[in-house]
Amino acid sequence: MHDLVIPGMIDAHVHLREPGATHKEDAFSGTAAALAGGAVGVLDMPNNAPPITRTERFAAKQALFATKAVADYGLFAGSDGSHLEQVLAMAPQAVGLKLYLDETFGDLRNREPRSLAETFEAWPGPGPIAVHAESESIRISLDLARRYGQHVHICHVPHPDELLVIDAARQAGVHVTCEVTPHHLFLSDEAVARLGSLAQMKPPLVSPADLELFWERLDLVDLIATDHAPHTRAEKASAEPPPGVPGLETTLPLLLAAVDDGRLTHERMMALVYTRPLEVYGLAAPESEVVIDLSQGRYRLPLEGYHTRCGWSPFAGLPALGRVAKVTLRGQVVWQEGKLLAAPGSGRPLERVADRDRG
Ligand code: DOR
Ligand code: ZN
Ligand code: ZN
């Protein structure tokens, strides 16, 4: 088999832990892992410690990424319902606003109906409001988007039946987009018996039958985003393991194997990991190229050898196809044969289409 050449993927949902938990990952190791996995752009979530709910925290995080990132990035603003004026002031620079309506890692939360309504009413864009929302909270989010004419993006859809709810809202005129994670497509809740806390995340894995329904309803999904959420092995082995799994380096070979199996077309895969992530967030594609070596055929994902600081993968052992041989970003070779060739700080904020068109 020959090489496959694609533009670099855009991963619209990652947690690179910078600042606050850089023993798990940081802007450098996380963006290096992105390049290793064939992604040249990542959108980073605001559930840092402290959470990115204030302009000066947003500016400090921007400065850290500016000196450390080796891939391009967009940063989310966050809100806990307080200091709305600060949240709105982050809007022009943020890739979107992230709201956590349900429990997950960290303490960034906002589920108070009044402040949610105020936030949905006031958010000026241009980025969408992305939500961590399960069941009832998805309905609340859809209702708020309809009421205030906002674009709401439903992160990591927890269950395939929610895709029907989201689609019904879309048909009714709500501006809604959504994403599914690779772990919900490639790992069922049977993995929890095998892997314990290494297979625990929010929202949790679904049954094998529901996993199949995710595949059957993939047409209703805008994009695939990893929700790359690294925690150390020691943290995962602790009495109260934090939820979350890494995914930056395994998504492309898993999807290529799925394409090989006829589960989706190559074109559909590219829409899910490249075209739609850019469109949903209104971003311009950085000029890039990923060369994928297919010469070794199918293989199983390894237990080790990852570039994410956490060093493990819940996908180890799963069928995979293709290895990232070379990544070029803005004309520079940034990754080749397992080696990083980009200098820290060479990653740039992803540009908005509107700004690029303006020149
Ligand atoms: O499992 C998860 N981990 N889900 C989230 O929503 C957050 C993430 C994290 O930051 O670890
Ligand atoms: Zn989440
Ligand atoms: Zn997340």
Side-chain angles (χ1 to χ4, degrees):
M1 277 196 263
H2 47 283
D3 286 346
L4 177 67
V5 181
I6 62 170
M9 301 187 298
I10 304 296
D11 191 336
H13 187 151
V14 301
H15 300 263
L16 301 190
R17 311 304 192 197
E18 178 96 48
T22 52
H23 64 289
K24 301 174 196 274
E25 195 82 284
D26 70 12
F28 174 73
S29 65
T31 50
L35 295 179
V40 298
V42 292
L43 306 189
D44 193 69
M45 291 297 165
N47 63 334
N48 296 94
I52 311 303
T53 52
R54 303 279 188 274
T55 50
E56 85 275 7
R57 293 181 194 168
F58 189 87
K61 183 169 174 176
Q62 280 181 308
L64 287 164
F65 273 70
T67 54
K68 296 177 80 170
V70 290
D72 289 2
Y73 53 90
L75 306 179
F76 280 91
S79 169
D80 59 9
S82 69
H83 295 274
L84 183 58
E85 77 293 344
Q86 291 267 316
V87 175
L88 304 182
M90 289 186 274
Q93 308 252 48
V95 77
L97 172 64
K98 177 70 181 287
L99 298 177
Y100 290 86
L101 278 72
D102 290 298
E103 283 305 303
T104 186
F105 180 66
D107 24 66
L108 183 53
R109 212 80 63 233
N110 185 1
R111 56 199 318 166
E112 206 272 303
R114 224 182 105 168
S115 86
L116 278 175
E118 280 169 10
T119 307
F120 266 78
E121 181 168 24
W123 177 251
I129 298 179
V131 293
H132 178 116
E134 303 188 30
S135 57
E136 185 52 25
S137 304
I138 292 181
R139 283 154 190 80
I140 292 170
S141 305
L142 292 170
D143 190 51
L144 288 166
R146 182 188 53 72
R147 238 195 302 160
Y148 297 109
Q150 284 286 3
H151 173 187
V152 69
H153 179 76
I154 312 291
C155 293
H156 46 46
V157 173
H159 190 277
D161 287 348
E162 304 292 0
L163 290 174
L164 305 179
V165 173
I166 291 164
D167 188 51
R170 185 185 276 146
Q171 300 300 331
V174 177
H175 189 183
V176 56
T177 52
C178 70
E179 76 194 26
V180 168
T181 69
H183 44 270
H184 288 100
L185 291 171
F186 291 100
L187 292 173
S188 76
D189 58 6
E190 287 177 348
V192 184
R194 193 160 50 84
L195 297 169
S197 62
L198 293 181
Q200 281 170 356
M201 74 296 289
K202 300 269 192 186
L205 296 173
V206 297
S207 71
D210 288 336
L211 180 150
E212 282 309 315
L213 278 178
F214 265 130
W215 282 102
E216 276 175 35
R217 295 175 185 164
L218 204 58
D219 281 352
L220 304 179
V221 174
D222 291 278
L223 62 99
I224 291 176
T226 60
D227 197 6
H228 177 83
H231 299 286
T232 66
R233 288 177 205 267
E235 289 164 341
K236 281 295 205 179
S238 70
E240 283 189 47
V245 294
L248 277 169
E249 292 163 85
T250 45
T251 300
L252 182 58
L254 287 168
L255 283 172
L256 288 172
V259 170
D260 188 50
D261 288 334
R263 299 209 93 172
L264 77 171
T265 64
H266 177 80
E267 290 67 33
R268 184 72 184 119
M269 179 191 88
M270 290 312 298
L272 289 163
V273 299
Y274 174 69
T275 322
R276 290 298 287 149
L278 290 166
E279 285 172 0
V280 164
Y281 286 95
L283 300 171
E287 190 259 301
S288 73
E289 186 184 89
V290 176
V291 178
I292 302 157
D293 175 9
L294 299 173
S295 65
Q296 292 165 67
R298 291 173 74 106
Y299 63 100
R300 287 187 181 274
L301 287 171
L303 269 169
E304 286 173 347
Y306 298 104
H307 299 83
T308 170
R309 189 157 289 160
C310 76
W312 55 275
S313 170
F315 301 102
L318 266 59
L321 178 65
R323 295 172 197 271
V324 173
K326 181 176 166 186
V327 182
T328 310
L329 178 56
R330 287 185 295 277
Q332 302 290 314
V333 179
V334 288
W335 186 269
Q336 192 161 23
E337 307 302 340
K339 290 239 171 348
L340 178 71
L341 300 175
S346 58
R348 290 194 199 160
L350 286 158
E351 259 188 295
R352 301 209 145 269
V353 172
D355 297 341
R356 176 174 283 192
D357 290 352
R358 225 172 278 135

